[in-house]
Amino acid sequence: GDRNEFLPTVHGFDEFFGIVGSSESYFSHRNTSGAMDLFEGDHPVEKDGYLTDLFTDRAIQFICRDRTRPFYISLHYNAPHWPWEGPGDRATAMQTARAAAAGGSGEIFGEMMKSMDAGIGRVLQAVRDRGLERNTLIIFTSDNGGERYSSNWPFPFQKLYLWEGGIRVPAIVRWPGIVPPHRTTDQVAITMDWTATILALTGAKPDPAYPLDGVDLMRVCTGEQSAIERTIFWRNINYDAARMGHWKYLKENGDEHLFDLSKDPGEKF
């Protein structure tokens, strides 16, 4: 949220550098209304540079600090969200974010993805250079399926829908020496599980007034535990969905569907 009471520094983070919305120009850092939306702590700031690079640079600066205590970084790239601006598209920053959202191409989308991928590579290298690789759990995931220039194949639909193309996203866990390389699992997971997993690993306890929605998945990630069956629910203004084991129920504008995702992940039958 973009109100002061929703800023990360009010909710437990020691530092914050980032955007409070989701649709800012990658160069001007202004939102669809034209307001500056890049923040340092609780104040808007003006910085020169492509947002993806700015986020990468700040994460690396934080990793490279001298410290004696463990740290946590929540690195939220907005790429490849619209407006469609690649790192070489500075000229388009003169237009509004909403105007840039109407343009774009597969090539620009690809450049946005490449920039993020390169940034993640730089962050991982910084972890290695500091000798922290075997002491650091890294989790990569996304908030929802892609839109417009994305390919969510073989899953149908995209962001804002509760078909698999809108809610099934990548999740990659990396921890050399703890999580076996190249291991995959069919474990059903939700983003809230990572909160529970991180708290369990660090020996921290959630506030009893706010019970967790997720579960600790570390033993599944390491292979010590087999995948566990989950029941998970979703809803938005036009859809309701539930996942129960390999079965998925979907209600779309009054129409009801039931899919066996173990046989029909594309939800065609």
Side-chain angles (χ1 to χ4, degrees), residues 199-210:
L199 286 177
L201 277 173
T202 57
K205 302 292 183 183
D207 188 322
Y210 301 94

Side-chain angles (χ1 to χ4, degrees), residues 145-234:
E147 59 176 325
R148 194 162 186 181
Y149 297 109
S150 305
S151 173
N152 300 312
W153 185 89
F155 310 115
F157 290 84
Q158 60 179 17
K159 171 185 176 178
L160 300 180
Y161 294 86
L162 297 185
W163 297 79
E164 290 296 277
I167 59 177
R168 190 184 293 216
V169 298
I172 303 170
V173 171
R174 187 179 191 274
W175 192 354
I178 303 295
V179 176
H182 312 301
R183 184 176 183 274
T184 61
T185 175
D186 292 327
Q187 177 65 57
V188 175
I190 56 175
T191 306
M192 287 78 85
D193 293 333
W194 302 123
T195 303
T197 301
I198 292 167
L199 286 177
L201 277 173
T202 57
K205 302 292 183 183
D207 188 322
Y210 301 94
L212 299 178
D213 291 315
V215 300
D216 177 10
L217 293 180
M218 200 65 228
R219 287 172 55 84
V220 176
C221 293
T222 61
E224 299 173 75
Q225 180 179 341
S226 300
I228 56 176
E229 189 165 301
R230 308 285 300 280
T231 298
I232 299 175
F233 301 93
W234 298 264

Side-chain angles (χ1 to χ4, degrees), residues 43-64:
H43 293 93
V45 293
E46 293 202 26
K47 299 279 186 181
D48 183 56
Y50 188 64
L51 270 183
T52 304
D53 295 334
L54 292 178
F55 295 157
T56 298
D57 292 342
R58 182 57 65 93
I60 292 173
Q61 291 171 15
F62 187 87
I63 291 168
C64 292

